[in-house]
């Protein structure tokens, strides 16, 4: 094979690879991108129960209730609160009054079914989205 | 006192690092031997002083010198000595000092091992610059030896999550990997500067890249092991930005390692060397800067983010400028695509594609936030849909590439591609026969293929021991990941004393509960029995942070892990317990260990167990040497007739053998397991977003009963799916089997493979026609 053809072949296959990677990325972006909302956003925006989203804020004081394998708690941004249910064991750093991010589905405007709950591994931590969301709410 | 001493050592280190840079540069320009020697000596001195500084910090932590801010923030007198030592690098300032220490260690190693004085001086200049930049950064913005104006009697202690034996070595190893890639970086800069020749440079750089790669692999493996037992749900990879940050340099470094086999890919290797270190810097610092949200960023300091970004921009800007400027002047040999080196080049392209998707997934949230003002998160599903389909063809090509000859490969070997397509078809068919997730099954077949193919390549003396071990490690890890991820069972239950939970037919019984105090924490320990084993998960309350931590208990027999975590107390002497059985989980890390071992063996030289490999560089490939095939386990198992020279035959038989071996695994799938897998696919009619497996509503209970009954009546999965679709509409299934975009996802890897196959076929035809014409 002449070097010229070889180069052509290489460039073609590289472009093809890039194209495939690009389309994979685009397709994945369409379905797997998860948007972040604060409890106030949830009231304003119409979010379908099929869309996977993240909700962040502070865990409302005295709200966590463990009922067997299910946990219910409220996430607040100091203006609005939303009820969150979760099946399983909460992460160790989940605490009242601390920042938390829940990922899952909004069943109806007041009830959120979480599939995962993220609390950070640092006692002083506040997720950046939560901090910014709270800052905007306080304005 | 320690503060002044530490500052003095840092200042001396800074001085000698400047001397190292200046003397080396001067020596290179004037070709003056005395200055070259001076630069080399300065490297030893700065190494000594910086190690002294780090040692001083460790001593301050060990002695709990609370006059230092850093010590009072991260140390505690009640901690055992090894955690006090680990606390010194478990924070931003200390980890930065460790970073610099390794940079200077690499400089010392270069001063010792590089023989050519001019080349050495150039490498030392580049390495010295890096040390200077980061040392400046450390001293100006985050000096670990800053004094507290008053003295505290007790510190704030180390984050309890970091109080773990695995984590004693994980950060230093990971840093050794990250920063170790500064050596290939400096060697690349030196090569560009001095316009060195390719083959020599590649041979010279290989051990450095291997060393860093092995350390990084070990670091990542340890980190994922830690996440597995510490974070409490038994996963090993979360596609978290911090993990991606370590994974990206690993991908680039792996590509680099493969291209370093030859001088033919000189410019490309140089580029990859620069890229790998750039990604290491990006990983270490961008995540540290707090710009990206991650579930585990320790030792964070957001204020310094911008500064770090500038530093990174400067280093990479200069490096890539030098590459663009100088690399066209370098001599390279032409590369033949259909050869071993061509295959290695294709391999590195695949790695770069994978790297690109990981990069995009990691940084897209940042981009989206700053450019469009939308906060988004990208989780595991994105990476599973992009990275894995891109890596699958690479895994399939891996044994093919290993079997390639040095020159003039006929392309006939790529006939294995159809074989692979057939394997793909088998995967799809078996998927419909057995209720096993597609990825798990594909993973199993791919790992069998990789291990089998590697064994054959080793047997045919096409691979030396190091790469063989590393590739087998890849296969083992893949096997662990896909079997463990696809066939795990999770159970949760509320247990009182003497009550038990059924785990895969065996009872997990709660025997006893103990409470007590140990070191810096109070604990509540639950003793459970499983078969004849005792395991005891704990809840710990750490002082002085008042942090409650769960300690998982794992019982392993090498082939499966029993993974138990203690949930909250439920009242009435009852506890919530979650237990999982994860088959082949330990293999994930055994595979990682094999990869590291492969790296180490490669550094130590081409060690051969059974026979010495004669040099094959100048052999004509069209007359393959007759060679006694090496006896491998596989060859022995298959009998001498099959263990012959025919690579394709050997590979095929090994795969058939492994498939037969693994088939009982699928046939033995119990009714409950088949039902459980189906539950995952069926959408709960009430909560819509969830599968009935996760949902507790009455409707989903009813659906579960319906599915189980149908299975008991002997109906196949496809029948049941069809019935459900008929009764409740298409939406009832969470994963529509084949539809527009999903079809694309399932087919894309195979399609890519087919296209490559067609391209190669076309090329072979062309070359045949060419030969006839000539």
């Amino acid at each position: 094979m002449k070097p010229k053809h070889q180069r052509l072949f290489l460039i073609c296959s590289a472009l093809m690879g890039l194209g495939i990677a690009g389309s994979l990325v685009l397709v994945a972006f369409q379905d797997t991108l998860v948007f972040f909302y604060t409890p106030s956003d949830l009231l304003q925006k119409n979010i379908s129960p099929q869309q996977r989203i993240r909700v962040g804020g502070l865990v409302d004081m005295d709200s966590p209730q463990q009922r067997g394998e299910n946990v219910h708690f409220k996430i607040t941004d100091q203006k609005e609160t939303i009820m969150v249910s979760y099946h399983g064991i909460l992460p160790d750093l989940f605490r009242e009054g601390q920042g938390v991010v829940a990922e899952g589905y909004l069943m109806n405007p007041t009830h959120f079914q979480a599939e995962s709950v993220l609390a950070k591994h640092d006692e002083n931590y506040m997720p950046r989205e939560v901090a910014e969301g709270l800052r905007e709410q306080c304005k | 006192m320690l503060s002044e001493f530490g500052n003095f050592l840092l200042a001396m280190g800074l001085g000698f690092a400047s001397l190292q840079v200046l003397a080396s540069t001067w020596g290179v320009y004037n070709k003056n031997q005395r200055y070259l020697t001076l630069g080399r000596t300065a490297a030893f001195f700065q190494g000594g002083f910086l190690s002294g500084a780090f040692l001083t910090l460790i001593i301050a932590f060990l002695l709990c010198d609370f006059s230092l801010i850093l010590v009072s923030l991260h140390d505690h007198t009640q901690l055992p000595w090894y955690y006090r030592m680990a606390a010194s690098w478990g924070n931003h300032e200390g980890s930065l000092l460790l970073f610099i220490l390794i940079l200077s260690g690499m400089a010392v190693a270069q001063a010792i091992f590089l023989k050519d004085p001019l080349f050495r001086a150039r490498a030392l200049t580049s390495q010295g610059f890096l040390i200077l930049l980061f040392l400046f950064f450390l001293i100006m913005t985050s000096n670990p030896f800053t004094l507290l104006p008053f003295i505290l009697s007790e510190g704030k202690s180390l984050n309890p999550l970091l109080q773990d034996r695995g984590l004693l070595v994980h950060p230093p190893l990971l840093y050794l990997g990250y920063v170790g890639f500064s050596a290939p970086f400096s060697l690349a800069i030196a090569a560009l500067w001095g316009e060195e020749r390719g083959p020599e440079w590649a041979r010279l750089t290989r051990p450095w890249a291997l060393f860093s790669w092995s350390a990084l692999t070990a670091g990542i493996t340890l980190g994922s092991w830690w996440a597995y037992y510490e974070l409490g749900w038994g996963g090993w990879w979360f596609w978290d930005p911090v993990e991606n940050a370590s994974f990206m340099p690993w991908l680039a470094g792996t590509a680099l390692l493969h291209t370093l086999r030859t001088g033919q890919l000189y410019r490309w290797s140089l580029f990859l060397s620069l890229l790998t270190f750039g990604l290491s810097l990006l990983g270490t610092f961008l995540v540290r800067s707090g710009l990206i949200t991650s579930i585990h960023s320790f030792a964070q300091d957001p204020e310094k983010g911008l500064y770090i970004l500038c530093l990174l921009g400067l280093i990479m800007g200069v490096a890539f400028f030098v590459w663009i400027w100088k690399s066209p002047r370098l001599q390279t040999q032409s590369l033949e695509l259909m050869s071993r080196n061509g295959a290695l080049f294709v391999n590195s392209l695949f790695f770069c594609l994978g790297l690109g998707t990981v990069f995009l997934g990691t940084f897209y949230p940042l981009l989206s936030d700053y450019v469009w003002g939308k906060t988004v998160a990208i989780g595991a599903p994105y990476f599973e849909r992009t990275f894995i389909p891109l890596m699958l063809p690479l895994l399939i090509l891996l044994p093919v590439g290993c079997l390639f000859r040095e020159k003039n490969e006929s392309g006939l070997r790529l006939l294995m591609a159809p074989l692979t397509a057939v394997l793909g078809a088998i995967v799809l068919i078996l998927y419909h026969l057995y209720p096993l997730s597609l990825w798990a099954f594909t993973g199993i077949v791919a790992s069998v293929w990789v291990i089998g193919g590697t064994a054959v390549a080793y047997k045919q003396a096409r691979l030396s021991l190091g790469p063989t071990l590393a590739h087998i490690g890849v296969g083992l890890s893949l096997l662990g990941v896909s079997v463990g991820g696809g066939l795990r069972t999770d159970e949760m239950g509320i247990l009182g004393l003497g009550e038990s939970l059924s785990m895969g037919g065996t009872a997990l019984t709660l025997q006893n509960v103990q409470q007590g105090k140990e070191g810096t924490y109070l604990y509540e320990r639950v003793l459970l029995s499983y078969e004849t084993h005792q395991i005891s998960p704990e809840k710990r309350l750490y002082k002085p942070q008042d942090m409650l931590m769960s300690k998982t208990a794992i019982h392993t027999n090498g082939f499966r892990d029993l993974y138990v975590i203690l949930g909250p107390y439920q009242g009435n002497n009852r506890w919530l317990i979650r237990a999982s059985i994860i088959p082949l989980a330990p293999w994930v890390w055994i595979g990682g260990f094999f990869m590291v071992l492969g790296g180490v063996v490669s550094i130590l030289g081409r060690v051969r167990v059974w026979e010495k490999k004669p040099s094959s560089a100048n052999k004509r490939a069209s007359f393959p040497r007759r060679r006694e095939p090496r006896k491998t386990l596989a060859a022995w198992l298959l009998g001498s007739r099959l263990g012959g020279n025919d690579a394709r035959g050997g590979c095929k038989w090994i795969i058939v053998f492994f498939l037969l071996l693994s088939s009982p695994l699928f046939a033995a799938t119990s009714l409950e397991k088949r039902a459980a897998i189906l539950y995952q696919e069926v959408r709960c009619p009430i909560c819509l977003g969830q599968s009935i497996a996760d949902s507790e509503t009455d409707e989903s209970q009813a659906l579960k009963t319906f599915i189980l009954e149908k299975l008991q009546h002997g109906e196949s999965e496809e029948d049941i799916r069809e019935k459900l679709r008929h009764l409740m509409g298409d939406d009832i299934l969470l994963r529509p089997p084949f539809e527009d975009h999903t079809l694309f996802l399932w087919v894309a890897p195979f399609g890519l493979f087919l296209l490559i196959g067609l391209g190669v076929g076309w090329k072979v035809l062309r070359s045949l026609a060419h030969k006839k014409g000539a």
Side-chain angles (χ1 to χ4, degrees):
Chain A
M1 190 155 60
K2 283 184 203 157
K4 199 171 150 195
H5 290 154
Q6 187 171 311
R7 204 173 302 142
L8 193 73
F9 177 73
L10 263 183
I11 289 171
C12 284
S13 44
L15 280 180
M16 201 166 69
L18 264 183
I20 285 175
S23 39
L24 279 176
V25 165
L26 283 179
V27 170
F29 265 177
Q30 271 178 5
D31 333 327
T32 61
L33 223 53
V34 180
F35 286 88
F36 178 90
Y37 299 100
T38 61
S40 305
D41 289 341
L42 291 179
L43 280 183
Q44 290 156 14
K45 283 171 191 153
N46 202 4
I47 294 159
S48 110
Q50 312 223 7
Q51 196 187 346
R52 194 180 173 89
I53 55 168
R54 284 187 174 191
V55 176
L58 303 179
V59 181
D60 212 3
M61 292 313 247
D62 301 323
S63 70
Q65 288 179 328
Q66 182 94 30
R67 288 194 203 123
E69 299 168 12
N70 290 307
V71 192
H72 304 278
F73 59 92
K74 285 177 181 161
I75 293 183
T76 177
D77 57 3
Q78 314 291 23
K79 275 192 173 171
E80 300 294 339
T81 49
I82 183 153
M83 188 74 190
V84 179
S85 313
Y86 177 66
H87 177 81
I89 297 175
L90 287 169
D92 288 327
L93 288 172
F94 178 90
R95 286 217 213 142
E96 290 174 24
Q98 295 263 349
V100 71
V101 174
E103 188 168 320
Y105 302 92
L106 188 69
M107 294 301 142
N108 59 54
T110 55
H111 179 223
F112 187 78
Q113 179 71 43
E115 286 198 341
S116 61
V117 174
L118 314 172
K120 200 123 156 190
H121 308 159
D122 189 328
E123 63 275 26
N124 308 319
Y125 170 72
M126 163 96 74
R128 194 170 53 87
E129 290 97 336
V130 174
E132 272 169 20
L134 286 177
R135 211 173 293 140
E136 268 166 37
Q137 293 298 324
C138 292
K139 270 177 198 162
Chain B
M1 215 284 282
L2 281 174
S3 159
E4 285 84 8
F5 190 55
N7 275 322
F8 165 75
L9 290 172
L10 282 184
M12 292 300 279
L14 191 73
F16 275 103
S18 327
L19 186 64
Q20 172 189 335
V21 173
L22 290 175
S24 302
T25 321
W26 192 251
V28 169
Y29 273 106
N30 294 327
K31 304 271 183 297
N32 187 326
Q33 191 60 44
R34 281 169 66 192
Y35 281 104
L36 292 178
T37 318
L38 180 65
R40 184 175 182 225
T41 320
F44 290 122
F45 272 99
Q46 59 83 11
F49 280 114
L50 290 176
S51 331
F54 191 67
L55 208 62
T56 313
L57 187 67
I58 289 181
I59 289 171
F61 268 89
L62 284 177
L63 297 179
C64 291
D65 182 353
F66 292 126
S67 63
L68 298 180
I69 293 184
L70 198 65
V71 179
S72 65
L73 282 180
H74 300 281
D75 206 359
H76 195 277
T77 47
Q78 295 295 305
L79 282 173
W81 69 269
Y82 40 88
Y83 290 144
R84 269 182 277 155
M85 187 173 79
S88 61
W89 58 73
N91 55 73
H92 171 75
E93 286 81 358
S95 66
L96 192 59
L97 188 56
L98 178 65
F99 187 94
I100 292 169
L101 177 75
I102 298 171
L103 273 181
S104 89
M106 284 291 152
V108 172
Q110 283 166 0
I112 295 172
F113 292 115
L114 296 180
K115 295 288 174 249
D116 176 11
L118 278 174
F119 183 70
R120 179 175 63 215
R122 290 187 180 115
L124 283 179
T125 309
S126 156
Q127 193 76 14
F129 250 121
L130 293 176
I131 298 172
L132 271 183
L133 283 174
F134 284 100
L135 209 49
F136 257 124
F137 176 53
L138 179 88
I139 294 172
M140 304 307 279
T141 69
S142 26
N143 191 332
F145 296 108
T146 313
L147 275 176
L148 202 61
F150 45 88
I151 292 183
L152 294 171
S153 56
E154 189 53 276
K156 284 185 73 183
S157 193
L158 177 67
N159 185 334
L161 267 173
L162 300 179
Q163 294 183 23
D164 177 89
R165 274 149 219 250
L167 236 61
L168 286 176
V169 275
H170 164 66
L173 266 180
L174 205 59
Y175 263 39
L176 202 59
Y178 276 154
V179 190
F181 277 113
S182 68
F185 173 88
S186 288
L187 294 181
I189 294 283
L192 284 165
W193 185 1
E195 295 176 18
E196 303 289 331
R197 275 173 40 76
E200 285 82 1
W201 181 81
R203 210 181 45 246
L204 200 78
T205 311
R206 227 170 91 90
W208 299 86
L210 271 169
F211 171 78
S212 319
W213 181 85
S214 306
L216 189 59
T217 311
I220 292 176
T221 309
L222 264 178
S224 109
W225 185 47
W226 170 82
Y228 174 70
Y229 68 74
E230 189 71 38
L231 299 186
W233 63 270
W236 32 74
W237 195 258
F238 302 80
W239 294 106
D240 179 84
V242 174
E243 293 174 335
N244 291 347
S246 67
F247 193 47
M248 287 190 288
W250 188 85
L251 287 172
T254 313
L256 170 67
L257 213 59
H258 285 92
T259 60
L260 281 180
R261 187 176 175 276
T262 164
Q264 285 175 321
L265 300 167
Y266 189 23
R267 282 179 221 160
W268 180 231
S269 309
L270 287 171
F271 178 80
L272 284 174
S273 306
L274 304 182
L275 182 71
T276 308
F277 186 57
L279 288 170
S280 298
L281 286 181
L282 197 68
T284 340
F285 290 113
L286 203 58
V287 178
R288 284 267 167 281
S289 71
L291 282 172
I292 287 181
T293 309
S294 143
I295 53 163
H296 52 250
S297 13
F298 303 102
Q300 227 181 47
D301 203 336
E303 261 107 74
K304 285 140 201 167
L306 195 68
Y307 191 100
I308 287 162
L309 217 56
C310 293
L311 208 64
L312 175 75
L314 177 74
I315 296 173
M316 283 301 112
V318 170
F320 285 123
F321 172 74
V322 173
W323 183 77
I324 291 168
W325 175 36
K326 283 281 194 179
S327 69
R329 302 186 192 184
L330 298 174
Q331 285 182 351
T332 47
Q333 302 138 303
S334 70
L335 173 75
E336 193 191 2
L337 194 64
M338 299 308 292
S339 66
R340 173 64 81 79
N341 293 339
L344 288 170
F345 178 63
V346 172
N347 153 303
S348 66
L349 285 183
F350 268 109
F351 271 113
C352 287
L353 274 185
L355 172 68
T357 58
V358 176
F359 187 88
L360 208 60
T362 312
F363 290 101
Y364 183 80
L366 193 66
L367 188 76
S368 156
D369 196 12
Y370 280 83
V371 180
W372 298 288
K374 275 187 188 164
T375 318
V376 296
I378 287 179
Y382 164 83
F383 296 99
E384 278 159 18
R385 285 197 190 182
T386 54
F387 183 72
I388 295 172
L390 283 173
M391 285 297 114
L392 210 58
L394 178 64
L395 287 169
I396 291 166
L397 285 171
L398 187 151
V400 186
C402 291
L403 285 166
F404 261 30
R405 295 201 185 86
E406 292 298 329
K407 265 181 156 182
N408 291 333
E409 180 57 56
S410 65
L412 276 177
R413 266 177 212 290
L414 285 180
L415 278 181
M416 271 197 279
L419 181 65
T420 318
V422 172
L423 270 178
I426 295 173
V427 171
L428 285 174
I429 292 162
L430 283 178
Y431 175 58
H432 277 273
L433 289 179
Y434 295 108
L436 182 66
S437 82
L438 180 71
W439 285 131
F441 193 79
T442 316
I444 294 164
V445 175
S447 52
V448 169
W449 170 254
V450 166
I451 295 173
T454 309
V456 170
Y458 181 66
K459 189 185 69 189
Q460 301 207 336
R462 300 220 186 271
L463 269 189
S464 52
L465 187 60
T468 307
L469 286 173
H471 287 162
I472 285 178
V474 171
L476 288 178
S477 285
L478 188 66
L479 204 59
V481 168
S482 38
V483 174
L487 296 173
R488 63 183 278 172
T489 39
D490 300 278
E491 298 287 343
M492 189 149 57
I494 298 167
L495 299 185
L497 285 176
E499 291 180 335
S500 54
L501 188 70
S502 166
M503 286 301 302
T506 315
L508 181 71
T509 314
L510 199 153
Q511 302 282 2
N512 197 5
V513 179
Q514 303 169 339
Q515 271 128 3
K517 183 177 190 305
E518 211 169 282
T520 47
Y521 60 87
L522 306 165
Y523 66 87
E524 177 174 62
R525 186 178 295 152
V526 173
L527 290 176
L528 297 144
S529 66
Y530 181 80
E531 288 167 349
T532 54
H533 315 293
Q534 282 270 336
I535 56 173
S536 48
E538 289 176 22
K539 276 243 178 282
R540 292 177 175 176
L541 184 67
Y542 278 88
K543 299 285 178 185
Q545 295 101 326
D546 266 332
M547 255 169 104
L548 194 67
M549 306 288 314
S550 310
K551 188 86 188 159
T552 50
I554 299 170
H555 177 266
T556 180
N557 65 2
F559 289 94
R560 63 115 189 88
D561 276 5
L562 173 67
Y563 187 102
V564 186
I565 184 163
L566 176 63
Y569 179 60
Q570 300 287 314
N572 284 337
N573 273 330
R574 291 157 73 83
W575 284 265
L576 182 63
I577 303 277
R578 208 194 66 198
S580 315
I581 287 187
I582 309 174
L584 296 193
W587 290 28
V588 178
W589 302 286
I590 294 174
F593 172 75
F594 264 84
M595 285 188 239
V596 176
L597 193 69
V600 173
V601 167
S602 294
I603 298 173
L604 295 179
R606 294 173 176 240
V607 183
R608 291 222 163 244
V609 178
W610 285 290
E611 73 175 275
K612 266 261 179 276
K613 181 191 173 190
S615 144
S616 58
N618 48 6
K619 288 276 176 187
R620 288 283 305 192
S622 45
F623 300 103
R625 251 168 306 142
R626 300 290 297 176
R627 191 188 306 137
E628 269 307 297
R630 202 184 284 119
K631 286 279 181 199
T632 60
L633 182 67
W636 176 77
L637 280 171
L638 295 166
S640 55
R641 197 175 59 84
L642 293 171
N645 277 339
D646 184 27
R648 274 181 290 139
C651 251
K652 202 163 66 195
W653 283 111
I654 286 175
I655 283 161
V656 169
F657 172 74
F658 269 96
L659 277 178
L660 285 177
L661 196 75
S662 53
S663 60
L665 193 67
F666 311 118
T669 324
S670 71
L671 215 55
E672 279 77 23
K673 192 165 278 173
R674 286 170 61 192
I677 289 166
L678 261 182
Y679 296 163
Q680 302 271 334
E681 291 180 23
V682 181
R683 194 191 296 277
C684 165
I686 303 299
C687 7
L688 293 169
Q690 271 186 314
S691 68
I692 57 172
D694 303 322
S695 166
E696 298 292 312
T697 57
D698 295 341
E699 284 78 3
S700 45
Q701 291 301 340
L703 274 174
K704 281 186 199 171
T705 326
F706 173 80
I707 291 172
L708 199 59
E709 270 174 15
K710 292 289 170 210
L711 278 176
Q712 277 159 355
H713 285 119
E715 293 191 28
S716 78
E717 274 76 10
E718 202 38 54
D719 290 344
I720 295 173
R721 284 194 199 107
E722 197 49 54
K723 275 215 176 85
L724 284 170
R725 231 177 282 151
H726 184 70
L727 286 171
M728 328 265 305
D730 276 344
D731 270 352
I732 190 71
L733 294 182
L734 273 171
R735 184 184 45 181
F738 278 122
E739 251 187 304
D740 40 14
H741 61 268
T742 40
L743 176 74
F744 176 69
L745 281 172
W746 296 146
V747 170
F750 299 105
L752 175 72
F753 204 72
L754 196 72
L755 282 174
I756 291 177
L758 281 178
V760 169
W762 174 76
K763 198 200 69 73
V764 170
L765 280 181
R766 281 293 299 270
S767 71
L768 281 180
H770 191 71
K771 263 179 204 157
K772 260 183 202 161

